[in-house]
Amino acid sequence: MPRTIRDVVFVDGVRTPFGKAGPKGIYHETRADDLVVKAIRELLRRNPDLDPAKIDEVAIAATTQIGDQGLTLGRTAGILAGLPQSVPGYSIDRMCAGALTAVTATAGSIAFGAYDVVVAGGVEHMGRHPMGEGVDPNPRFVSEKLVDESALFMGMTAENLHDRYPSITKQRADEYAVRSQEKAAKAYADGKIQQDLVPVSVRRTNAEAGETGWGLVTADEPMRPGTTMESLAGLKTPFRAHGRVTAGNAAGLNDGATASLLAAEDVAREMGLPVRMRLVSYAYVGVEPEVMGYGPIPATEKALAKAGLSISDIGLFEINEAFAVQVLAFLEHYGIADDDARVNQYGGAIAYGHPLASSGVRLMTQLARQFEEHPEVRYGLTTMCVGFGMGATVVWENPNFDGGNK
């Protein structure tokens, strides 16, 4: 018998504060799976009307699936978070778009009717597991010229994207980075970010003093408020001599986790769960791996076409800032100004950090908050580039839409 496709909604999303990777980072002595557990538990605490036994799936993404990011993370984190043993789980990997893929994969199952309620998210502990740890790329990629060697290094792909868009200068990239830091600082000052952060208790060791103690992490560590063009001007260009990509106009190496609740809209309303965004369409595309940052452009074209929408219908954008040039290429393609008020209103990954597989849900959580503030906006999108030449875009509808102008 024919099935009815159900509407899928974003119920809630949370994340840990993001940290800097490495020995001096806040999560250096914290396990990756424990970060996921914190996020799942916070979802349950914030949604007491949800019976945990009603969760049909836990999908958790990680790019480097070894160590404390391995062992079918969705299942193990669910058990550690106290979910009933009847709740299954699995792991997923699409590099930077891991959490975004966890959302769309489970959303498809909700629409089909296989699931009613799911948890979807991601984690990356780049301090414990640097990107590419333990991998063995097939030598045919380079020997048979299937891809250029630069495709294996994300910073080099960003330099290649600058080559494709000579109008996107280092100055424009730095100006964009400064705005991202300023918007993030303002979002914090206005209390827009903290409400979706779960505090994390961490163990800290002071090697010099020989002391170990505990602290509580309540804010993102990578942020650099007060960043100026002057402070960015002298930074090294590590991926190319006299290049344009620096640590100041790119996201750093970070640790953190995210988790979200998705449900069929009728089930969410029946359970008394909030309906914060409605899924409209999504798309993934492949592009030349050497210009990985181009991916959001065709992915957005495909997602908009599936939804029967155009770029002019989108009233809010959450674009992952892996590199400033990648966002600027997207904006230039669509004729959107570098400082358009619809884009990344709270700032982005250049300020907050980009713990690879976790970032997709951060974009969604920030978009959901903006939907609440802007009932005049009907549609928004979350989009990101993905390692080894892909792009991912999800189009969302604002359930608070009041019929006003977009």
Side-chain angles (χ1 to χ4, degrees), residues 137-338:
N138 195 303
R140 290 180 49 232
F141 282 121
V142 175
S143 65
E144 297 181 15
K145 294 183 169 34
L146 300 175
V147 300
D148 184 80
E149 192 171 4
S150 63
L152 302 174
F153 304 94
M154 298 303 102
M156 292 184 182
T157 69
E159 289 284 7
N160 293 341
L161 191 60
H162 268 290
D163 294 341
R164 293 284 179 95
Y165 288 84
S167 61
I168 302 178
T169 60
K170 180 179 182 297
Q171 179 172 335
R172 274 180 70 186
D174 285 350
E175 288 171 348
Y176 182 89
V178 169
R179 280 194 300 274
S180 180
Q181 296 284 354
E182 290 173 346
K183 288 189 286 188
K186 184 178 187 304
Y188 257 88
D190 294 343
K192 305 295 187 185
I193 303 301
Q194 299 91 323
Q195 53 196 325
D196 294 318
L197 297 182
V198 50
V200 179
S201 58
V202 296
R203 192 175 74 163
R204 290 173 169 162
T205 299
N206 185 329
E208 295 178 1
E211 298 175 347
T212 297
W214 290 87
L216 190 67
V217 177
T218 59
D220 293 299
E221 185 181 23
M223 292 173 60
R224 296 185 295 273
T227 296
T228 63
M229 289 293 291
E230 291 71 26
S231 65
L232 296 183
L235 294 178
K236 296 178 180 178
T237 58
F239 305 106
R240 184 185 295 180
H242 309 294
R244 292 140 298 192
V245 179
T246 71
N249 59 34
L253 304 179
N254 305 109
D255 308 328
T258 59
S260 65
L261 272 179
L262 305 170
E265 182 165 3
D266 58 339
V267 172
R269 297 195 183 281
E270 182 181 315
M271 291 184 175
L273 299 172
V275 173
R276 301 180 61 197
M277 298 195 294
R278 186 176 296 113
L279 182 65
V280 177
S281 69
Y282 61 86
Y284 299 89
V285 300
V287 298
E288 297 163 81
E290 297 84 358
V291 286
M292 174 262 313
Y294 184 79
I297 294 171
T300 296
E301 291 174 346
K302 187 174 179 180
L304 289 173
K306 287 181 177 294
L309 300 172
S310 70
I311 198 71
S312 62
D313 292 309
I314 304 301
L316 289 166
F317 296 82
E318 274 294 323
I319 308 171
N320 191 46
E321 297 171 354
F323 301 94
V325 62
Q326 158 244 313
V327 181
L328 293 170
F330 179 95
L331 299 180
E332 186 153 308
H333 176 86
Y334 284 110
I336 299 171
D338 292 3

Side-chain angles (χ1 to χ4, degrees), residues 341-352:
R342 297 171 296 168
V343 178
N344 292 9
Q345 290 194 346
Y346 296 168
I350 289 173
Y352 298 119

